[in-house]
Amino acid sequence: MSLRSRLPIAVAAGTLLAAAAATPAVANDDWGHHHDHPRLYKGVVTASTLNLRSAPNRGSQIIRTAHKGEIVTIFCKTGGETVGSNPLWYLLTDGTWAWGAARYIDNIGPAPRWCS
């Protein structure tokens, strides 16, 4: 894996670490976030198999796959390559940092915040 392909993941990981260091511990609800300071969100995969990628586009490296009905943890959303008329992608935090097309992930609870 080249440095260029790892950069989005490294930036996202650094953002998470910085946010965690700057955010005081608060009580979490069932979706893993505080009502005033959302951090993590949940979603359910709707595609039979969803390729999760190193960047928010279908040409980037596949990091892993998720399957229909799988519950995923979402850190944030961003714009990327349009998939099925939906330009949003979610940065997932389930064991590895990977991007999934929002077209194939339904939110459980509130919509994820925008990546900064």
Side-chain angles (χ1 to χ4, degrees):
M1 181 185 300
S2 72
L3 176 59
R4 184 177 193 151
S5 65
R6 288 185 293 205
L7 187 57
I9 296 169
V11 169
T15 301
L16 177 61
L17 291 174
T23 305
V26 293
N28 290 340
D29 65 17
D30 290 340
W31 289 308
H33 65 273
H34 185 273
H35 292 284
D36 296 329
H37 303 286
R39 288 185 302 225
L40 298 177
Y41 304 84
K42 294 287 183 184
V44 61
V45 175
T46 61
S48 59
T49 301
L50 177 61
N51 290 325
L52 303 177
R53 301 182 175 275
S54 61
N57 62 67
R58 291 184 283 190
S60 61
Q61 180 182 12
I62 297 171
I63 303 245
R64 64 183 181 87
T65 58
H67 302 282
K68 188 171 188 166
E70 185 176 330
I71 304 297
V72 294
T73 304
I74 304 166
F75 180 67
C76 61
K77 67 183 172 187
T78 195
E81 180 180 355
T82 299
V83 176
S85 75
N86 187 335
L88 297 179
W89 287 70
Y90 293 150
L91 180 58
L92 307 180
T93 65
D94 302 295
T96 58
W97 290 90
W99 293 96
R103 166 68 177 89
Y104 298 111
I105 302 172
D106 285 347
N107 298 327
I108 298 173
R113 67 175 174 199
W114 288 95
C115 301
S116 40

PDB file of all heavy atoms in Angstrom, residues 55-86:
ATOM      1  N   ALA A  55     -10.450   5.267   0.270  1.00  0.00           N
ATOM      2  CA  ALA A  55     -10.833   6.639  -0.041  1.00  0.00           C
ATOM      3  C   ALA A  55     -12.294   6.632  -0.496  1.00  0.00           C
ATOM      4  O   ALA A  55     -12.815   5.581  -0.873  1.00  0.00           O
ATOM      5  CB  ALA A  55      -9.931   7.208  -1.142  1.00  0.00           C
ATOM      6  N   PRO A  56     -12.960   7.791  -0.462  1.00  0.00           N
ATOM      7  CA  PRO A  56     -14.388   7.825  -0.819  1.00  0.00           C
ATOM      8  C   PRO A  56     -14.652   7.796  -2.323  1.00  0.00           C
ATOM      9  O   PRO A  56     -15.267   8.696  -2.886  1.00  0.00           O
ATOM     10  CB  PRO A  56     -14.883   9.116  -0.158  1.00  0.00           C
ATOM     11  CG  PRO A  56     -13.685   9.982  -0.060  1.00  0.00           C
ATOM     12  CD  PRO A  56     -12.510   9.066   0.098  1.00  0.00           C
ATOM     13  N   ASN A  57     -14.185   6.733  -2.975  1.00  0.00           N
ATOM     14  CA  ASN A  57     -14.459   6.524  -4.391  1.00  0.00           C
ATOM     15  C   ASN A  57     -14.289   5.044  -4.716  1.00  0.00           C
ATOM     16  O   ASN A  57     -13.590   4.319  -4.015  1.00  0.00           O
ATOM     17  CB  ASN A  57     -13.568   7.396  -5.276  1.00  0.00           C
ATOM     18  CG  ASN A  57     -12.108   7.066  -5.110  1.00  0.00           C
ATOM     19  OD1 ASN A  57     -11.655   5.977  -5.481  1.00  0.00           O
ATOM     20  ND2 ASN A  57     -11.350   7.996  -4.542  1.00  0.00           N
ATOM     21  N   ARG A  58     -14.941   4.616  -5.801  1.00  0.00           N
ATOM     22  CA  ARG A  58     -14.930   3.195  -6.167  1.00  0.00           C
ATOM     23  C   ARG A  58     -13.616   2.727  -6.781  1.00  0.00           C
ATOM     24  O   ARG A  58     -13.398   1.527  -6.926  1.00  0.00           O
ATOM     25  CB  ARG A  58     -16.088   2.887  -7.123  1.00  0.00           C
ATOM     26  CG  ARG A  58     -17.435   2.986  -6.406  1.00  0.00           C
ATOM     27  CD  ARG A  58     -18.554   2.604  -7.314  1.00  0.00           C
ATOM     28  NE  ARG A  58     -18.821   3.718  -8.242  1.00  0.00           N
ATOM     29  CZ  ARG A  58     -19.848   3.788  -9.043  1.00  0.00           C
ATOM     30  NH1 ARG A  58     -20.721   2.812  -9.087  1.00  0.00           N
ATOM     31  NH2 ARG A  58     -20.023   4.827  -9.832  1.00  0.00           N
ATOM     32  N   GLY A  59     -12.712   3.637  -7.096  1.00  0.00           N
ATOM     33  CA  GLY A  59     -11.429   3.258  -7.669  1.00  0.00           C
ATOM     34  C   GLY A  59     -10.350   3.008  -6.632  1.00  0.00           C
ATOM     35  O   GLY A  59      -9.275   2.520  -6.962  1.00  0.00           O
ATOM     36  N   SER A  60     -10.620   3.317  -5.369  1.00  0.00           N
ATOM     37  CA  SER A  60      -9.601   3.156  -4.335  1.00  0.00           C
ATOM     38  C   SER A  60      -9.531   1.707  -3.857  1.00  0.00           C
ATOM     39  O   SER A  60     -10.417   0.894  -4.127  1.00  0.00           O
ATOM     40  CB  SER A  60      -9.873   4.102  -3.165  1.00  0.00           C
ATOM     41  OG  SER A  60     -11.121   3.825  -2.587  1.00  0.00           O
ATOM     42  N   GLN A  61      -8.471   1.416  -3.135  1.00  0.00           N
ATOM     43  CA  GLN A  61      -8.208   0.048  -2.674  1.00  0.00           C
ATOM     44  C   GLN A  61      -9.314  -0.460  -1.746  1.00  0.00           C
ATOM     45  O   GLN A  61      -9.793   0.268  -0.874  1.00  0.00           O
ATOM     46  CB  GLN A  61      -6.879   0.007  -1.934  1.00  0.00           C
ATOM     47  CG  GLN A  61      -6.524  -1.370  -1.424  1.00  0.00           C
ATOM     48  CD  GLN A  61      -5.206  -1.365  -0.656  1.00  0.00           C
ATOM     49  OE1 GLN A  61      -4.668  -0.327  -0.323  1.00  0.00           O
ATOM     50  NE2 GLN A  61      -4.702  -2.554  -0.385  1.00  0.00           N
ATOM     51  N   ILE A  62      -9.712  -1.714  -1.931  1.00  0.00           N
ATOM     52  CA  ILE A  62     -10.673  -2.353  -1.033  1.00  0.00           C
ATOM     53  C   ILE A  62      -9.925  -2.790   0.220  1.00  0.00           C
ATOM     54  O   ILE A  62      -8.949  -3.525   0.146  1.00  0.00           O
ATOM     55  CB  ILE A  62     -11.348  -3.563  -1.708  1.00  0.00           C
ATOM     56  CG1 ILE A  62     -12.156  -3.096  -2.920  1.00  0.00           C
ATOM     57  CG2 ILE A  62     -12.239  -4.311  -0.706  1.00  0.00           C
ATOM     58  CD1 ILE A  62     -12.677  -4.230  -3.787  1.00  0.00           C
ATOM     59  N   ILE A  63     -10.398  -2.316   1.378  1.00  0.00           N
ATOM     60  CA  ILE A  63      -9.778  -2.636   2.658  1.00  0.00           C
ATOM     61  C   ILE A  63     -10.414  -3.909   3.235  1.00  0.00           C
ATOM     62  O   ILE A  63      -9.735  -4.761   3.782  1.00  0.00           O
ATOM     63  CB  ILE A  63      -9.973  -1.465   3.650  1.00  0.00           C
ATOM     64  CG1 ILE A  63      -9.414  -0.203   3.058  1.00  0.00           C
ATOM     65  CG2 ILE A  63      -9.468  -1.806   5.027  1.00  0.00           C
ATOM     66  CD1 ILE A  63      -8.260   0.423   3.695  1.00  0.00           C
ATOM     67  N   ARG A  64     -11.737  -3.976   3.128  1.00  0.00           N
ATOM     68  CA  ARG A  64     -12.485  -5.142   3.595  1.00  0.00           C
ATOM     69  C   ARG A  64     -13.883  -5.067   3.010  1.00  0.00           C
ATOM     70  O   ARG A  64     -14.199  -4.126   2.287  1.00  0.00           O
ATOM     71  CB  ARG A  64     -12.523  -5.214   5.121  1.00  0.00           C
ATOM     72  CG  ARG A  64     -13.240  -4.066   5.794  1.00  0.00           C
ATOM     73  CD  ARG A  64     -13.155  -4.184   7.322  1.00  0.00           C
ATOM     74  NE  ARG A  64     -13.852  -3.098   7.975  1.00  0.00           N
ATOM     75  CZ  ARG A  64     -15.144  -3.083   8.274  1.00  0.00           C
ATOM     76  NH1 ARG A  64     -15.911  -4.115   7.965  1.00  0.00           N
ATOM     77  NH2 ARG A  64     -15.698  -2.063   8.888  1.00  0.00           N
ATOM     78  N   THR A  65     -14.714  -6.052   3.315  1.00  0.00           N
ATOM     79  CA  THR A  65     -16.098  -6.040   2.852  1.00  0.00           C
ATOM     80  C   THR A  65     -17.046  -6.132   4.043  1.00  0.00           C
ATOM     81  O   THR A  65     -16.681  -6.627   5.106  1.00  0.00           O
ATOM     82  CB  THR A  65     -16.387  -7.202   1.879  1.00  0.00           C
ATOM     83  OG1 THR A  65     -16.088  -8.422   2.533  1.00  0.00           O
ATOM     84  CG2 THR A  65     -15.557  -7.083   0.619  1.00  0.00           C
ATOM     85  N   ALA A  66     -18.244  -5.636   3.841  1.00  0.00           N
ATOM     86  CA  ALA A  66     -19.322  -5.758   4.826  1.00  0.00           C
ATOM     87  C   ALA A  66     -20.488  -6.423   4.105  1.00  0.00           C
ATOM     88  O   ALA A  66     -20.595  -6.348   2.875  1.00  0.00           O
ATOM     89  CB  ALA A  66     -19.722  -4.390   5.359  1.00  0.00           C
ATOM     90  N   HIS A  67     -21.357  -7.065   4.865  1.00  0.00           N
ATOM     91  CA  HIS A  67     -22.460  -7.823   4.270  1.00  0.00           C
ATOM     92  C   HIS A  67     -23.809  -7.306   4.749  1.00  0.00           C
ATOM     93  O   HIS A  67     -23.911  -6.693   5.817  1.00  0.00           O
ATOM     94  CB  HIS A  67     -22.295  -9.303   4.593  1.00  0.00           C
ATOM     95  CG  HIS A  67     -20.984  -9.842   4.092  1.00  0.00           C
ATOM     96  ND1 HIS A  67     -20.777 -10.156   2.765  1.00  0.00           N
ATOM     97  CD2 HIS A  67     -19.813 -10.075   4.725  1.00  0.00           C
ATOM     98  CE1 HIS A  67     -19.540 -10.564   2.610  1.00  0.00           C
ATOM     99  NE2 HIS A  67     -18.925 -10.524   3.780  1.00  0.00           N
ATOM    100  N   LYS A  68     -24.835  -7.584   3.965  1.00  0.00           N
ATOM    101  CA  LYS A  68     -26.194  -7.127   4.254  1.00  0.00           C
ATOM    102  C   LYS A  68     -26.584  -7.472   5.690  1.00  0.00           C
ATOM    103  O   LYS A  68     -26.373  -8.584   6.160  1.00  0.00           O
ATOM    104  CB  LYS A  68     -27.190  -7.761   3.284  1.00  0.00           C
ATOM    105  CG  LYS A  68     -28.582  -7.197   3.405  1.00  0.00           C
ATOM    106  CD  LYS A  68     -29.467  -7.677   2.295  1.00  0.00           C
ATOM    107  CE  LYS A  68     -30.776  -6.911   2.360  1.00  0.00           C
ATOM    108  NZ  LYS A  68     -31.538  -7.096   1.137  1.00  0.00           N
ATOM    109  N   GLY A  69     -27.123  -6.456   6.379  1.00  0.00           N
ATOM    110  CA  GLY A  69     -27.565  -6.633   7.751  1.00  0.00           C
ATOM    111  C   GLY A  69     -26.500  -6.333   8.794  1.00  0.00           C
ATOM    112  O   GLY A  69     -26.814  -6.206   9.980  1.00  0.00           O
ATOM    113  N   GLU A  70     -25.238  -6.199   8.367  1.00  0.00           N
ATOM    114  CA  GLU A  70     -24.151  -5.905   9.308  1.00  0.00           C
ATOM    115  C   GLU A  70     -24.321  -4.495   9.874  1.00  0.00           C
ATOM    116  O   GLU A  70     -24.606  -3.554   9.147  1.00  0.00           O
ATOM    117  CB  GLU A  70     -22.808  -6.031   8.589  1.00  0.00           C
ATOM    118  CG  GLU A  70     -21.605  -5.874   9.496  1.00  0.00           C
ATOM    119  CD  GLU A  70     -20.290  -6.097   8.769  1.00  0.00           C
ATOM    120  OE1 GLU A  70     -20.258  -6.884   7.791  1.00  0.00           O
ATOM    121  OE2 GLU A  70     -19.294  -5.487   9.181  1.00  0.00           O
ATOM    122  N   ILE A  71     -24.170  -4.361  11.176  1.00  0.00           N
ATOM    123  CA  ILE A  71     -24.209  -3.060  11.837  1.00  0.00           C
ATOM    124  C   ILE A  71     -22.792  -2.501  11.818  1.00  0.00           C
ATOM    125  O   ILE A  71     -21.850  -3.180  12.232  1.00  0.00           O
ATOM    126  CB  ILE A  71     -24.716  -3.173  13.290  1.00  0.00           C
ATOM    127  CG1 ILE A  71     -26.091  -3.855  13.347  1.00  0.00           C
ATOM    128  CG2 ILE A  71     -24.738  -1.796  13.965  1.00  0.00           C
ATOM    129  CD1 ILE A  71     -27.196  -3.114  12.642  1.00  0.00           C
ATOM    130  N   VAL A  72     -22.634  -1.270  11.328  1.00  0.00           N
ATOM    131  CA  VAL A  72     -21.324  -0.640  11.242  1.00  0.00           C
ATOM    132  C   VAL A  72     -21.292   0.625  12.094  1.00  0.00           C
ATOM    133  O   VAL A  72     -22.327   1.237  12.347  1.00  0.00           O
ATOM    134  CB  VAL A  72     -20.954  -0.313   9.778  1.00  0.00           C
ATOM    135  CG1 VAL A  72     -20.766  -1.597   8.967  1.00  0.00           C
ATOM    136  CG2 VAL A  72     -21.998   0.573   9.121  1.00  0.00           C
ATOM    137  N   THR A  73     -20.099   0.994  12.524  1.00  0.00           N
ATOM    138  CA  THR A  73     -19.887   2.206  13.310  1.00  0.00           C
ATOM    139  C   THR A  73     -19.349   3.286  12.382  1.00  0.00           C
ATOM    140  O   THR A  73     -18.359   3.072  11.690  1.00  0.00           O
ATOM    141  CB  THR A  73     -18.898   1.944  14.455  1.00  0.00           C
ATOM    142  OG1 THR A  73     -19.397   0.858  15.238  1.00  0.00           O
ATOM    143  CG2 THR A  73     -18.744   3.164  15.334  1.00  0.00           C
ATOM    144  N   ILE A  74     -20.013   4.434  12.386  1.00  0.00           N
ATOM    145  CA  ILE A  74     -19.687   5.537  11.483  1.00  0.00           C
ATOM    146  C   ILE A  74     -19.062   6.673  12.286  1.00  0.00           C
ATOM    147  O   ILE A  74     -19.628   7.109  13.292  1.00  0.00           O
ATOM    148  CB  ILE A  74     -20.948   6.043  10.757  1.00  0.00           C
ATOM    149  CG1 ILE A  74     -21.639   4.894  10.015  1.00  0.00           C
ATOM    150  CG2 ILE A  74     -20.616   7.200   9.826  1.00  0.00           C
ATOM    151  CD1 ILE A  74     -23.061   5.222   9.561  1.00  0.00           C
ATOM    152  N   PHE A  75     -17.902   7.160  11.832  1.00  0.00           N
ATOM    153  CA  PHE A  75     -17.252   8.292  12.486  1.00  0.00           C
ATOM    154  C   PHE A  75     -17.779   9.616  11.933  1.00  0.00           C
ATOM    155  O   PHE A  75     -18.100  10.523  12.677  1.00  0.00           O
ATOM    156  CB  PHE A  75     -15.735   8.201  12.309  1.00  0.00           C
ATOM    157  CG  PHE A  75     -14.991   9.317  12.954  1.00  0.00           C
ATOM    158  CD1 PHE A  75     -14.972   9.448  14.333  1.00  0.00           C
ATOM    159  CD2 PHE A  75     -14.306  10.243  12.196  1.00  0.00           C
ATOM    160  CE1 PHE A  75     -14.288  10.482  14.945  1.00  0.00           C
ATOM    161  CE2 PHE A  75     -13.611  11.282  12.797  1.00  0.00           C
ATOM    162  CZ  PHE A  75     -13.609  11.399  14.170  1.00  0.00           C
ATOM    163  N   CYS A  76     -17.868   9.713  10.588  1.00  0.00           N
ATOM    164  CA  CYS A  76     -18.332  10.952   9.961  1.00  0.00           C
ATOM    165  C   CYS A  76     -18.678  10.690   8.499  1.00  0.00           C
ATOM    166  O   CYS A  76     -18.477   9.593   8.003  1.00  0.00           O
ATOM    167  CB  CYS A  76     -17.263  12.050  10.065  1.00  0.00           C
ATOM    168  SG  CYS A  76     -15.704  11.648   9.249  1.00  0.00           S
ATOM    169  N   LYS A  77     -19.196  11.709   7.810  1.00  0.00           N
ATOM    170  CA  LYS A  77     -19.546  11.586   6.390  1.00  0.00           C
ATOM    171  C   LYS A  77     -18.827  12.664   5.594  1.00  0.00           C
ATOM    172  O   LYS A  77     -18.461  13.715   6.124  1.00  0.00           O
ATOM    173  CB  LYS A  77     -21.054  11.691   6.183  1.00  0.00           C
ATOM    174  CG  LYS A  77     -21.638  13.062   6.507  1.00  0.00           C
ATOM    175  CD  LYS A  77     -23.138  13.081   6.351  1.00  0.00           C
ATOM    176  CE  LYS A  77     -23.712  14.401   6.871  1.00  0.00           C
ATOM    177  NZ  LYS A  77     -25.168  14.387   6.896  1.00  0.00           N
ATOM    178  N   THR A  78     -18.634  12.386   4.302  1.00  0.00           N
ATOM    179  CA  THR A  78     -18.016  13.352   3.399  1.00  0.00           C
ATOM    180  C   THR A  78     -18.555  13.133   1.998  1.00  0.00           C
ATOM    181  O   THR A  78     -19.169  12.100   1.722  1.00  0.00           O
ATOM    182  CB  THR A  78     -16.473  13.219   3.407  1.00  0.00           C
ATOM    183  OG1 THR A  78     -15.912  14.381   2.792  1.00  0.00           O
ATOM    184  CG2 THR A  78     -16.008  11.974   2.689  1.00  0.00           C
ATOM    185  N   GLY A  79     -18.341  14.105   1.137  1.00  0.00           N
ATOM    186  CA  GLY A  79     -18.704  13.952  -0.259  1.00  0.00           C
ATOM    187  C   GLY A  79     -17.624  13.167  -0.989  1.00  0.00           C
ATOM    188  O   GLY A  79     -16.448  13.222  -0.628  1.00  0.00           O
ATOM    189  N   GLY A  80     -18.016  12.423  -1.984  1.00  0.00           N
ATOM    190  CA  GLY A  80     -17.081  11.634  -2.775  1.00  0.00           C
ATOM    191  C   GLY A  80     -17.723  11.274  -4.094  1.00  0.00           C
ATOM    192  O   GLY A  80     -18.642  11.961  -4.552  1.00  0.00           O
ATOM    193  N   GLU A  81     -17.265  10.199  -4.688  1.00  0.00           N
ATOM    194  CA  GLU A  81     -17.833   9.731  -5.946  1.00  0.00           C
ATOM    195  C   GLU A  81     -19.310   9.379  -5.753  1.00  0.00           C
ATOM    196  O   GLU A  81     -19.675   8.717  -4.784  1.00  0.00           O
ATOM    197  CB  GLU A  81     -17.072   8.495  -6.433  1.00  0.00           C
ATOM    198  CG  GLU A  81     -17.600   7.938  -7.723  1.00  0.00           C
ATOM    199  CD  GLU A  81     -16.841   6.709  -8.191  1.00  0.00           C
ATOM    200  OE1 GLU A  81     -15.832   6.332  -7.562  1.00  0.00           O
ATOM    201  OE2 GLU A  81     -17.260   6.134  -9.183  1.00  0.00           O
ATOM    202  N   THR A  82     -20.155   9.825  -6.653  1.00  0.00           N
ATOM    203  CA  THR A  82     -21.584   9.543  -6.578  1.00  0.00           C
ATOM    204  C   THR A  82     -21.846   8.071  -6.893  1.00  0.00           C
ATOM    205  O   THR A  82     -21.374   7.554  -7.900  1.00  0.00           O
ATOM    206  CB  THR A  82     -22.366  10.450  -7.533  1.00  0.00           C
ATOM    207  OG1 THR A  82     -22.161  11.810  -7.144  1.00  0.00           O
ATOM    208  CG2 THR A  82     -23.854  10.139  -7.506  1.00  0.00           C
ATOM    209  N   VAL A  83     -22.595   7.425  -6.007  1.00  0.00           N
ATOM    210  CA  VAL A  83     -22.973   6.023  -6.181  1.00  0.00           C
ATOM    211  C   VAL A  83     -24.496   5.957  -6.091  1.00  0.00           C
ATOM    212  O   VAL A  83     -25.068   6.311  -5.057  1.00  0.00           O
ATOM    213  CB  VAL A  83     -22.332   5.127  -5.093  1.00  0.00           C
ATOM    214  CG1 VAL A  83     -22.808   3.689  -5.234  1.00  0.00           C
ATOM    215  CG2 VAL A  83     -20.812   5.199  -5.147  1.00  0.00           C
ATOM    216  N   GLY A  84     -25.142   5.536  -7.151  1.00  0.00           N
ATOM    217  CA  GLY A  84     -26.602   5.452  -7.150  1.00  0.00           C
ATOM    218  C   GLY A  84     -27.272   6.757  -6.802  1.00  0.00           C
ATOM    219  O   GLY A  84     -28.190   6.789  -6.007  1.00  0.00           O
ATOM    220  N   SER A  85     -26.820   7.860  -7.352  1.00  0.00           N
ATOM    221  CA  SER A  85     -27.302   9.234  -7.147  1.00  0.00           C
ATOM    222  C   SER A  85     -27.031   9.780  -5.742  1.00  0.00           C
ATOM    223  O   SER A  85     -27.552  10.821  -5.377  1.00  0.00           O
ATOM    224  CB  SER A  85     -28.790   9.375  -7.506  1.00  0.00           C
ATOM    225  OG  SER A  85     -29.625   8.808  -6.519  1.00  0.00           O
ATOM    226  N   ASN A  86     -26.200   9.100  -4.955  1.00  0.00           N
ATOM    227  CA  ASN A  86     -25.854   9.571  -3.612  1.00  0.00           C
ATOM    228  C   ASN A  86     -24.350   9.860  -3.564  1.00  0.00           C
ATOM    229  O   ASN A  86     -23.537   8.946  -3.688  1.00  0.00           O
ATOM    230  CB  ASN A  86     -26.227   8.519  -2.568  1.00  0.00           C
ATOM    231  CG  ASN A  86     -26.051   9.011  -1.146  1.00  0.00           C
ATOM    232  OD1 ASN A  86     -25.259   9.907  -0.874  1.00  0.00           O
ATOM    233  ND2 ASN A  86     -26.777   8.416  -0.223  1.00  0.00           N
TER     234      ASN A  86
END
